[in-house]
Each structure stands twice: as structure tokens, then as C-alpha cells.
Amino acid sequence: MMKRLLCVFVFVSCPLAAVITYAQTRTAATAGVTSGPSQSGLQLDALDRSADPCTDFFQFACGSWVANNPIPADRSSWGRFDELQDRNNETLKTILESAAGGGDPQSQKIGDYYASCMDEKAIDAKGIAPLDPLLKKIGAVTTASELAPIVAELHTIGVDVFFGFGSEADFKDASLEMAIADRGGMGLPERDYYFRDDAKSKELREQYVAHVAKMLSLLGVPQAQADASAQAIMRLETALAKGALDVVSRRDPTKIYHKLTPEELQTLTPQFPWQQYFKGIGAPPIYALNVTEPDFFRALGQTLDSTSVDDLKAYLRWHVAHSSAPVLAKPFVDENFKFYGTALTGAKELRPRWKRCVQYTDGDLGEALGQAFVKEKFGPEAKADTLKMVHEIEAALEKDLNTLTWMTDATKREAMTKLHAVADKIGYPDNWRDYSALRIARGDALGNSQRANAFEFRRQLNKIGKTVDKSEWGMTPPTVNAYYNPLQNNINFPAGILQPPFYSVKSDAGVNYGGVGAVVGHELTHGFDDQGRQFDARGNLKEWWTAQDAKAFTDRAQCLVDEYGGFTAIDDVKVNGKLTLGENTADNGGLRLALMAYMAGVVAPAKTLDGFTPEQRFFLGWGQIWCATRRPEAMRMMAQTNPHSPEKYRVNGVVSNMPEFQKAFSCKADTPMVRQTQCRVW
Ligand SMILES: [Zn+2]
């Protein structure tokens, strides 16, 4: 429900999939996996054999899947990732339903949390009463100078107002945790939503203001006042957004690293009493902090100054309602869905309650729930197999580096050092999080959520000034995703993704290498994409490229910027080649590395399975993990905010750069899947 702090602050980690995290996340609906009689593990009934693989490989690999899997009403998009996440969630549901009364305190906790969330009747009966204490405190504020303690309290329980605060590795000394203050407190998905002047964007802003007004009126604010306040809140958030960086700039780590002393921060934002705030959140002594976007904090100070105290209070009330909505009474849930589910992403129906509650439990008690999931679903064979593949793919990158013609030996040596330092994390954490300090009370859904957020916030604050714990995970075990963390130089593969269609002990190697193998290659390549390459072997933001090699890299990357920038996401909205550069680099490099690793193990004469050669099965394995469709609203939002390209281009954009693909499917040189200028970075 409330955003997990970890995700807010790990700026530069790169998840694999384009998960839309608004209002409802990740849980899925009806369609299960339909399995054809396949020897290879490929989804044969997903293929569109009437399509020409050399014309549109995505259509060939996924055409029938797309035709046969309409987007469920409660989803804004639907794909293979979602199918698998849905299956994982079924497992989690079973675990959660039997957890309470199971004996051990940890099971009791996840069981009670889930049961409290499921008890809609009790939640509805309470109405807005659970928010009363907070609303009273906000009501008691008389001047802007009194805001710091209440902002501190709201941040502690996960309400995102004005800015974000927490802990993150110091980009330039990545072994140490440092305090971090980041922009925040804006209810629209991204800063440009406040400024775009096309008709759709204007309409969304009108809907947003109406939504804010409705939420305030649900809190009991008289309608006329709610309407006026919503306008004021929009002005306030727009003023904050003016000071914020756009999505592309935020991908540049040098633009979001500004190490300041608390005194310097105070000078930047004289209107906000920082020491009071630090005291309010119970922060350890802070000697320096990363103020990611100084311009934002300047704008924040000016906004605090120029906004009336009544409007500031209305803004706080709105965000309290917004953050709490998912576990409040039905009118809040419905209104929240109407804007964040329907208007923004096109979903038609609210997701069933159990799916939402599974998701919230995963968000708030993920490593308690994850332990039970791993016991049930993740065997040592999958772990050993994945690790073997990871080592092979790392060896493939080593080979690739050794044979590069565009990089000097000096930079190659550094790259090799970085590659050898990559840590591989597979399945689940070695040390599980200890939730014993977190109190979960049956029948108190909102309180549970707030206490879970406070637990996490304090856990983050506790790290400040200490050594970074690289064994920690940024994703929970049942998650169908993966990531690279450039500040830790490690690749992470949760148990949730190490299953079909990504990986199966029963599948042909080609399908596994095209699936999870390419996922591994993708994450590994992130260490060397336009963002990752700026961090060294120890995770420090440090130049290790010669100027000549950096230029050669940038020239090669520009080819991908141009290629993907030419793809249309929807209507007149193009894919943003710069925003998606890191992901596209990872997709292209990752698939190539996986192919190298795979071919090293293919024994001649190659066998045909399901009518496909080993190379064809490999490419189809890649194509089929990306079978997906997206509603127009969600596609638009993705293109404007998400660093990943739409699935179709993740498939076609990559294979059309590969001579190996052309050969595998005997494509003629003038077919669409054979680009005239084939891009290659790695
Ligand atoms: Zn990625």
C-alpha cells in the first residue's frame, strides 16, 4: 500500500520488468497457464505460425497468446510475468490463510496482518475514525514553522509529504550508509505530468484535482472547501514539480548526488527547521547527507513560504488520505482506484480483496512471508542450476570483453576487475529480516500498515553512518523480477522468477537460456550500461574509463537511443530512447551473453525439438517471456515514466540487431527483423 522506502531510495537499481506500481500492483487475475504438448518447454499454443518470424518476431512468438489472453478487467496490462506472479500469489494466499494460529510468532504475524486486511466489514465499520488522531494533529498546526514534527511523524508511518528521507550508500564511498533527502510529495506519477500540455495530460490533471477534492470530502471536508483546497494542492504540487528533475535526468547519478552538511541543507531551505525534523524522526547524528536535487529543496522552501497554512494543512490531509486509502473503508478504496487504477492505467475493476491483501502483506512483511514461500516453492536444484548458468554467463562476458575491438586495454582491465567483483545472489536472503520489534494487531489494518512502515523507516535510519549490508535484498522472494544494484555491484534473482516460463528443470536448455539465462545476462549487463558503467567494482561513482573509451561507448549507445526512439508506443507517443537506454543496453547485451553461454554447451549434431533448432528455441524462449498486452492508458504511462521499452520492442528491437537471429531463422537481408544498421554495445 504505502510505498516501500527501500524502493524510493535505491535510485539506480534496475529491475527487469515494467511493473506499474500505482494503487494496485503486481497481483493478477484469471488466466492460468495453458500448456501445449511441448517437448522443449516452449509455449507452442502461444505461437502465431501464420506470422513470419523475419517480419515480426514478437507476433510469431506470442501472437496466439496475445489473441487468447485478453487483459483481465482488473488489470492495466497482462503478460507472462503477471501469469507467474499470479501463481505465486495463489501459493502465498494458501500460506496466509493457514498462518494465523500456526504456532510460531512469525506465522502469527503474517496471518494476523492478512486477516486484518481481509476484514472489510470491520474496516468499513470504523470509517475514518482510525485517522482521527492524525487529522487532529494536522488541525492543531497554526503556522508553517510548526510543520516539522508532523512531517516527521507522517514520514515515519509512510505518508509521502514534501520530500523523502532515509538511508542509502554514499555514491562516492559505497561501503558506507549515508542519510539521503530526496524529492517527494507529489501525487501524480512523474514531474512532467504537471506540465505536459496535450489534451490527454490536461484531462488527467483535471481528473486528479477532482480526485483530490473527493478524497478530502470523504474526510469530512465540506465540498466547496474541498474543491478550493484541491486547486491549492495542485498549485503546491506543481510548484514542487517545477523544482524537480525529469525522468531522463534522474537516470544520471551525478545529477542526483549532492553531499551536503545539515547546515548547507538549512541554507538551501531556510523555511524548514531541519534539526527539529531530525529530532522528530529520531535520526542518529547526521554529519552529511545526499540532497539528491538541491533545486527541488530550494523550490520546497519557497513553496512553504508562499503557501497559506490552511493550504499546507489541506495538502497534508490529502496525502494522509491518499497513503491510507488502500486499507481504509470502501469509499476511499473505490475513489483511489477510480483515479490511480482507471484514469491513469485503464483498469476496469478493482482487484479482488485477497489479491490486494496478499500484495500488502508481501510489501510489509515480505521476508516473513517469503520464508514460507521459499520452503514451499524453491528447491536446491533450481538454485544450483541458476548459479551454474550465472557463472557461464559471467564467463561469456569475460570472453566478450577480451575480444572487444573498441575498448583499450586499460579500460578492459578495469572492466574485468568489475566483472570479477560482481556478487551473485540467488533465491532469497542468507539472513532473514527479524520482525520481532514490529507489532501486528488483529483487527487493526491501518495501524498494522503504519507500524510496518515505521518499522521499515527506523530500520533505514538505523543504518545511517554504518557499513552497508550487501546481503540485504531489495525484492522479496516471491517477486517475479530481478535487479542489479550498482552501488553494491551485485545481481539479484528472487526465487519468484526462477520458475516457468523463465526456467524449468524439465525445459530444454535453449528455452532456459533464452529465458532466465537472458535475465541473468540482462542484470549483469546493467553493470556496464550508461548508468552502471559510471560505478566501479566496489560500487563507487568513479570514472574508470579513458576519455577515448567513454566516447566509443557513447557513440555505440547512441545507436540504441536512435533505434528505440523510432518505435511508437501508442498514438503519437514514441518510446523515449534516452529514458530506456539502460534497459535496452541490458536486453541486447544480456541476450547475446546468454546465447554465447548456451552455444558453448550445444553438442553437434544439433537436435530439433518441436520443429525448432537449438538457436530457434533460444530466441523463442526470449520472445515468449515477453508475451504481454497493455491498455492504452497504461502504455502511455509506461512510455512517459518507465525506463523499460514495451515488450514487443524488447523482443523485436533486440533480435533485429543480431546476425545470429537472422541466421537462425534464415531471414533475408531486407526483412524487418534484420536492421540495416545493427546496434551493438556489448
Ligand atoms: Zn533492467
Side-chain angles (χ1 to χ4, degrees), residues 14-17 482-484 522-523 526 529 582-583 586-587 644 650:
C14 308
L16 174 76
Y483 68 98
Y484 170 75
H522 173 105
E523 300 309 340
H526 268 316
D529 70 14
E583 295 302 332
D587 280 347
H644 301 86
R650 297 190 75 163

Side-chain angles (χ1 to χ4, degrees), residues 470-493:
K470 295 186 179 176
S471 72
E472 223 184 79
W473 281 64
M475 283 179 185
T476 65
T479 305
V480 182
N481 215 330
Y483 68 98
Y484 170 75
N485 185 338
L487 291 164
Q488 300 183 357
N489 196 25
N490 55 27
I491 47 180
N492 301 260
F493 307 96

Side-chain angles (χ1 to χ4, degrees), residues 3 21-23 160 183-196 200-212 230 233-241 244-245 247 296 315 318-319 322 336 339-340 343-345 637 640-641:
K3 281 175 227 154
T21 48
Y22 285 89
D160 173 26
R183 61 120 172 262
M186 295 167 281
L188 286 170
E190 199 274 313
R191 72 84 79 186
D192 285 349
Y193 275 75
Y194 291 90
F195 305 113
R196 279 196 192 93
K200 279 238 159 49
S201 301
K202 284 181 184 163
E203 187 192 347
L204 259 182
R205 281 198 294 274
E206 280 165 23
Q207 290 171 313
Y208 179 61
V209 172
H211 167 64
V212 173
I233 288 164
M234 188 59 170
R235 282 195 298 276
L236 191 163
E237 291 191 2
T238 306
L240 294 180
L245 290 175
V247 270
F296 176 85
Y315 167 82
W318 142 241
H319 278 286
H322 172 55
N336 184 56
F339 182 73
Y340 288 97
L344 266 178
T345 70
M637 178 157 130
Q640 292 174 339
T641 63

Side-chain angles (χ1 to χ4, degrees), residues 39-97:
Q39 289 180 288
S40 61
L42 284 172
Q43 193 81 24
L44 298 180
D45 57 7
L47 298 169
D48 174 2
R49 292 183 189 268
S50 72
D52 176 4
C54 300
T55 301
D56 183 347
F57 186 59
F58 178 80
Q59 181 63 28
F60 181 75
C62 293
S64 295
W65 187 95
V66 168
N68 295 327
N69 288 275
I71 302 172
D74 63 353
R75 308 288 311 209
S76 60
S77 63
W78 186 246
R80 305 301 298 284
F81 280 68
D82 305 303
E83 278 181 350
L84 175 54
Q85 188 66 62
D86 226 21
R87 294 205 299 278
N88 289 350
N89 288 344
E90 294 280 353
T91 305
L92 298 179
K93 178 178 184 238
T94 310
I95 292 168
L96 287 167
E97 282 174 348

